[in-house]
Amino acid sequence: MVTLLGCIADDFTGATDLAALLARSGLPVSLRIGVPQDDPDDAAALEVIALKIRTVPAADAVQQARDAAHWLKRAGATRFFWKYCSTFDSTAAGNIGPVAEMLMHEVGADQTIYCPAFPENGRSVFMGHLFVGEQLLAESPMKDHPLTPMRDSSLVRLLEPQVRGKVGLAKRHAVAQGQAALSERLQELVTGEVSHVIVDAVSETDLNIIAEAAADMPLVTGGSVIAGQLAQVYLQRGLIAKPEGRVSLNVPAGGQLVLSGSCSAMTRRQVTSYSATSASLKLDPLRLADEGEVAAGEWLERQPSEGAKVIYATAEPDEVRSAQQKLGTERAGQLVEQAMAHLARRAFDLGVRRFVVAGGETAGAITQALGITRLEIGPEIAPGVPWVFADMEGERVALALKSGNFGSETFFDDAFKLLEAA
Ligand SMILES: Nc1ncnc2c1ncn2[C@@H]1O[C@H](COP(=O)(O)OP(=O)(O)O)[C@@H](O)[C@H]1O
Ligand SMILES: O=C(O)[C@@H](O)C(=O)COP(=O)(O)O
């Protein structure tokens, strides 16, 4: 099949979020880990390439995203989507802006939109300011993120230093008036040479209007919801058709494990809740620096494969800051990610086949270490978090790659229960 929409995600939880929201349209979605080595002879209409480029140097992120775009072009994609976090996770150097600008150049776009809103998960954009629930982004727990602390809520101000072109805003007043008014506003901005447009959105209706206005843009950027709405518009316009029949899921039997490297507020609550009824082990980056993860591996070996268990580095902001001051931010993060990756591999060797992983960077490290290259999309456990399935060394594996702040307090339990019922 020829690809219609080619998507590039900047992390792995974000990629499964995107794939889940695209799959809500009923269209088949293909999710690949890293830029495929092979030619795209089995491409799907909606292709997603998951990269781990949210916090790497901007030049590296741009290069990897360019390679992904070239593969998607070879698959036939004529429209492209750049997926980043619904909390606009980035630094002053990038990587949202530099990748968007490179992709605009690649696809010949003179304008693109930025639309991270995800109303179901409490992310809305008004007057260019991003809200997380009722709080401005910079007042939300995202201000304490270990790698991308978000200290400004204005998307215009956040994006400006990341791009060369002009940044503008399409306010909710234009969006609420419908597609024609929004298209007119976008046209006005492009005439004024504004190539990067933040678009307000506070509801699904807003996102639907935005998707209608942006459906023919060669490049759209944002969170998963606007991409899902684009797929719906393609269906309505007959650009793409739903396949006949249903694909049956092959759910693996085997042991289970939660691995959590996210320090986000919701994950902290989820770890506390799950630890109350499960075997749990906390990883300390300082101990990992001295001794590695041997003790954790031994702990894992002592646990029944089928039993409920969680290994976590999840910690309160003060504790994270203290580890980062002693080890450096990058090293602290890498120590945890590497340990999680080794433990996931050990768990697989011990018979674990159902993994719940909390944290985008953590999920990236684990999925890469397991050598997984392609994922099938299963049922959504919570908005934006589906079970995904992969074949690994001849074995079937189920993974739930959970974004730090997604899901309710009982998410880990909910995830395994859903798999039992599938
Ligand atoms: N206790 C800790 N101290 C310092 N860094 C940590 C600690 N626990 C986890 N980390 C690091 O914090 C980062 C969390 O990012 P990520 O996995 O993307 O989570 P989220 O989805 O919440 O953003 C990872 O790089 C992880 O290794
Ligand atoms: O858009 C979102 O919020 C998610 O898909 C996402 O990218 C979250 O990233 P992490 O919180 O780092 O997992």
Side-chain angles (χ1 to χ4, degrees), residues 1-6 32 34-44 47 49 64-80 106-107:
M1 184 180 271
V2 174
T3 298
L4 176 66
L5 183 69
R32 309 188 189 243
V35 182
Q37 299 300 310
D38 303 334
D39 275 342
D41 49 12
D42 63 343
E47 278 285 343
I49 296 182
Q64 289 191 48
R66 184 184 285 118
D67 292 345
H70 288 172
W71 188 91
L72 292 165
K73 270 188 191 171
R74 289 203 299 280
T78 47
R79 293 166 169 82
F80 292 80
E106 283 287 331
V107 303

Side-chain angles (χ1 to χ4, degrees), residues 10-11 13-14 17 54 83-87 89 118 123 145 223-224 264 359-361 402-406:
D10 72 347
D11 85 343
T13 47
D17 169 16
R54 189 170 289 175
K83 160 74 177 70
Y84 42 81
C85 194
S86 62
T87 43
D89 299 15
F118 195 152
R123 277 79 160 131
H145 190 279
S224 55
S264 293
E361 296 298 319
K402 191 198 77 72
S403 294
N405 278 311
F406 284 3

Side-chain angles (χ1 to χ4, degrees), residues 86-87 121-126 129-144 150 152-154 265-266 268-269 405:
S86 62
T87 43
N121 275 324
R123 277 79 160 131
S124 37
V125 181
F126 187 66
H129 284 66
L130 180 53
F131 289 80
V132 176
E134 293 174 8
Q135 291 173 305
L136 280 162
L137 176 65
E139 292 165 18
S140 79
M142 281 306 296
K143 69 183 186 313
D144 295 316
M150 300 307 289
D152 194 346
S153 310
S154 159
M266 181 45 83
R268 298 203 301 270
R269 288 169 56 192
N405 278 311

